[in-house]
């Protein structure tokens, strides 16, 4: 008779599916315990702060356990699924009074830094080596306690075992007045979860507190309550969390300046209609945004110093000799800003094709993290919502963002007479550390000039 040993179970950890991401939410599991999986098979879909990504398993085997339910946010490097690797059976081991302690350090493979997985990279493996312990052999229960103490950074001299819990969970317990040492962990490897803390806080408020003989202590802050019939609370996570952090960081780091100009775009709107009939543009997305994007690229070419970023650590201004044009897109998952790589090198048909692919991918929720990295300037089209204009906040790391308002038929003085014309308002926000008022004004004026007289796309290009 054979049985599966601990060594035959592979733990698949949450990979870093982007660059520097620290957590991801499990949106959907495609497998259940007992299912057979093969190398490269997608086992779940996760949502990071940047995109929804499907995760493939990198080996064959049978699913032993799913460590987290759908909707759980998991830190990068945390095991999310256990798979019994096929063909890794071993002779049955004699019964033991408790679970065996982890293998000795000398049997572990030598760390080789960050290990690649099928999507992104896992967390870096520590290269620290522990010195062998001295003293008598430790029994299994004592060894488990010693491991827990070591994991919490207290060493073997700790008088009391510190419960295993992540920093956010510890803060939650502190806010709710819950003693982690009194909880029974439900998480993997004996880790106390948020649910454990909430359950303890709920049970404590539901049952009358028994009198205690200990010294009086400061009462914990009361748990905030609200009327569920009149309010709905939504957890801040995923794209919304990333957007909030990025906008706060940008607004309070880069000194924003916003300038406005109202422009007659009647000729541009006529050109849009003509391009829709052009055989070179057949099958492509042709709309005002296409020509606005081209106008901004021309303005950047005429004023290249606006295309830069601020390096705080190096105290340098980094001039970009390329334009990765970001397009702010409202999606069911929230606001994202994918960008068109090397937009400055694209012809009008190529730019139209790239815009079409970008918008379609964003609406389908399939924008990759790589598509949202490395942007240099951004366009946000608030006009699609009927808004005249706004004061957009810079995408972090970028120097400028152009907001485009609604294009409306308005009375306008044209050739000395008041006539109905197609008019819009543009707003350009820029980082005043990088862009002086003169430079910002020139860029905005050039964009307006091209949209007023689109023939400048030829003469200025």
């Amino acid at each position: 008779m054979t049985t599966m040993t601990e060594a035959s179970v592979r733990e698949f950890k949450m990979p870093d599916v982007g660059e520097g991401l620290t957590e991801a939410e499990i949106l959907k599991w495609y497998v259940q315990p007992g299912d057979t999986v093969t190398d490269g098979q997608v086992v779940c879909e996760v949502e990071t702060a940047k995109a929804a990504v499907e995760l493939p398993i990198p080996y064959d085997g049978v699913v032993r356990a799913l460590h987290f339910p759908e909707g759980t946010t998991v830190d990068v490097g945390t095991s999310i699924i256990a798979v019994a690797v096929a063909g890794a059976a071993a002779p049955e081991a004699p019964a033991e009074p408790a679970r065996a302690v982890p293998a000795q350090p000398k049997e572990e493979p030598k760390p080789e830094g960050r290990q690649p997985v099928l999507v992104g990279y896992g967390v870096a493996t520590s290269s620290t080596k522990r010195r062998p312990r001295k003293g008598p052999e430790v029994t299994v229960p004592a060894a488990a306690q010693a491991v827990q103490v070591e994991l919490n950074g207290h060493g073997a001299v700790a008088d009391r075992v510190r419960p295993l819990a992540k920093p956010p969970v510890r803060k939650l317990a502190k806010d709710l007045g819950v003693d982690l040492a009194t909880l029974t962990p439900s998480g993997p490897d004996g880790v106390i979860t948020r649910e454990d803390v909430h359950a303890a806080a709920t049970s404590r408020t539901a049952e009358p507190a028994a009198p205690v003989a200990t010294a009086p202590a400061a009462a914990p802050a009361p748990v905030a309550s609200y009327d569920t019939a009149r309010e709905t609370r939504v957890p801040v996570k995923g794209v919304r969390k990333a957007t909030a952090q990025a906008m706060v960081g940008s607004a309070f780091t880069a000194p924003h300046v916003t300038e406005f100009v109202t422009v007659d775009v009647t000729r541009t709107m006529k050109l849009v209609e003509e391009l829709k009939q052009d055989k070179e543009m057949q099958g492509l997305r042709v709309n005002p945004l296409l020509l606005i994007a081209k106008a901004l690229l021309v303005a950047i070419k005429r004023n290249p110093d606006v295309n830069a970023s601020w390096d705080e650590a190096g105290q340098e201004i980094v001039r970009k000799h390329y334009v990765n044009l970001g397009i702010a897109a409202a999606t069911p998952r929230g606001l994202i800003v994918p960008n068109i790589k090397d937009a400055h090198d694209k012809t009008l048909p190529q730019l139209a094709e790239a815009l079409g692919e970008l918008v379609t991918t964003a609406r389908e929720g399939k924008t990759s993290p790589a598509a949202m990295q490395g942007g240099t300037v951004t366009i946000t089209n608030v006009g699609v919502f009927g808004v005249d204009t706004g004061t957009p906040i810079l995408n972090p790391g970028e120097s400028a963002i152009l907001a485009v308002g609604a294009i409306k038929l308005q009375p306008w003085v044209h050739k000395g007479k008041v006539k109905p014309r197609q008019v819009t308002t543009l707003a350009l926000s820029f980082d005043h550390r990088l862009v002086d008022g003169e430079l910002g004004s020139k860029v905005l004026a050039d964009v307006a000039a091209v949209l007023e007289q689109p023939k400048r796309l030829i003469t200025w290009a």
Side-chain angles (χ1 to χ4, degrees):
M1 179 178 178
T2 60
T3 183
M4 204 67 72
T5 66
E6 288 294 328
S8 65
V9 177
R10 301 287 297 274
E11 296 286 346
F12 180 63
K13 299 180 179 180
M14 178 69 73
D16 179 359
V17 296
E19 293 184 4
L21 297 179
T22 60
E23 62 183 17
E25 177 187 355
I26 298 175
L27 293 180
K28 184 176 182 180
W29 283 109
Y30 296 121
V31 296
Q32 295 297 326
D35 291 352
T36 300
V37 294
T38 57
D39 186 359
Q41 178 180 339
V42 174
V43 295
C44 68
E45 181 182 19
V46 301
E47 181 183 45
T48 70
K50 297 183 177 181
V53 180
E54 293 182 332
L55 298 184
I57 200 78
Y59 29 75
D60 302 333
V62 178
V63 177
R64 272 291 190 87
L66 307 180
H67 296 322
F68 298 96
E70 295 176 355
T72 305
T73 299
V74 182
D75 290 339
V76 169
T78 302
S79 178
I80 59 174
I81 180 174
V83 176
V85 179
E92 182 177 10
E96 294 183 3
R99 181 178 176 180
V101 298
Q104 294 299 323
K106 63 181 181 180
E107 297 178 1
E108 297 178 357
K110 183 179 179 180
E112 297 180 359
R114 259 182 137 197
Q115 300 298 319
V117 293
L118 292 183
V119 181
Y121 285 79
V123 296
T125 306
S126 173
S127 59
T128 304
K129 296 182 178 179
R130 298 188 182 276
R131 291 177 294 182
R133 297 178 179 270
K134 296 181 180 180
E137 184 178 357
V138 184
T139 62
V140 171
Q145 178 176 336
V147 169
Q148 188 179 32
V149 172
E150 287 291 340
L151 289 175
N152 286 275
H154 291 275
V157 297
D159 296 327
R160 179 187 177 192
V161 176
R162 189 184 184 206
L164 286 172
K166 297 176 182 177
V169 178
R170 294 187 183 279
K171 183 179 185 302
L172 176 65
K174 181 179 179 181
D175 293 340
L176 298 181
V178 175
D179 185 0
L180 293 178
T182 63
L183 304 185
T184 301
S186 64
D189 300 323
V191 175
I192 295 174
T193 65
R194 287 179 175 271
E195 289 73 18
D196 297 334
V197 176
H198 283 300
T202 302
S203 63
R204 187 184 60 183
T205 55
E207 300 176 1
V212 293
T214 57
V223 180
S225 61
Y226 63 97
D227 186 352
T228 57
R230 294 165 59 87
E231 297 178 4
T232 300
R233 299 203 172 199
V234 180
V236 179
K237 57 185 179 180
V239 173
R240 174 57 58 193
K241 182 177 180 180
T243 301
Q245 293 173 342
M247 293 299 96
V248 170
S250 176
F252 293 97
T253 300
H256 284 55
V257 173
T258 305
E259 295 185 341
F260 307 88
V261 64
T262 302
V263 58
D264 176 4
V265 295
T266 304
R267 291 186 178 91
T268 291
M269 297 304 291
K270 290 180 179 179
L271 179 57
V272 168
E273 295 304 317
E274 293 173 3
L275 289 173
K276 289 180 179 179
Q277 308 303 321
D278 193 305
K279 64 178 182 178
E280 296 294 333
M281 306 296 289
Q282 291 300 311
L284 298 177
R285 184 186 297 269
V286 179
N287 53 25
L289 180 61
L290 171 62
L291 294 184
I292 292 168
K294 195 64 177 178
L296 179 57
L297 292 171
V298 170
I300 293 173
K301 183 176 181 181
R302 286 168 54 85
N303 305 275
D305 287 351
V306 75
N307 190 38
S309 63
W310 183 273
D311 183 353
E312 182 66 30
Q315 287 296 293
E316 295 175 329
I317 294 176
V318 183
R319 306 288 188 198
K320 308 293 179 63
H321 305 301
Y322 59 91
V323 180
N324 289 345
L325 182 62
I327 304 294
T331 73
R333 296 176 55 243
L335 175 67
I336 62 174
V337 189
N339 59 75
I340 301 172
K341 309 298 183 187
D342 295 324
H344 63 290
D345 281 339
K346 297 187 182 298
T347 62
L348 195 63
Q350 291 172 341
L351 188 61
E353 181 179 6
L355 272 172
E357 293 176 353
L358 180 148
V359 172
T360 300
T361 303
R363 287 178 177 173
E364 293 176 352
K366 297 181 179 179
T367 303
S368 67
M372 292 182 281
Q373 296 167 358
T376 59
V377 294
T378 292
I379 296 176
T380 177
N381 185 11
V382 297
V384 296
F385 306 109
V387 176
D388 290 335
T389 190
T391 54
I393 297 177
L394 294 168
N395 205 28
E398 299 183 10
S399 59
I401 179 171
L402 178 70
V404 182
I407 299 174
K408 300 178 179 180
L409 196 64
Q410 297 183 19
W412 193 265
V413 177
H414 178 67
K415 296 182 179 180
K417 296 182 180 180
V418 177
K419 297 181 179 180
R421 304 286 287 179
Q422 298 279 4
V423 177
T424 190
T425 299
L426 307 176
L428 182 72
S429 292
F430 50 87
D431 185 343
H432 214 350
R433 298 174 300 177
L434 296 162
V435 182
D436 294 332
E438 178 186 8
L439 177 58
S441 299
K442 286 182 176 179
V443 172
L444 184 58
D446 281 355
V447 174
V450 171
L451 296 179
E452 187 175 16
Q453 293 284 354
K455 66 182 181 181
R456 291 189 172 103
L457 288 172
I458 300 173
T459 58
W460 286 0

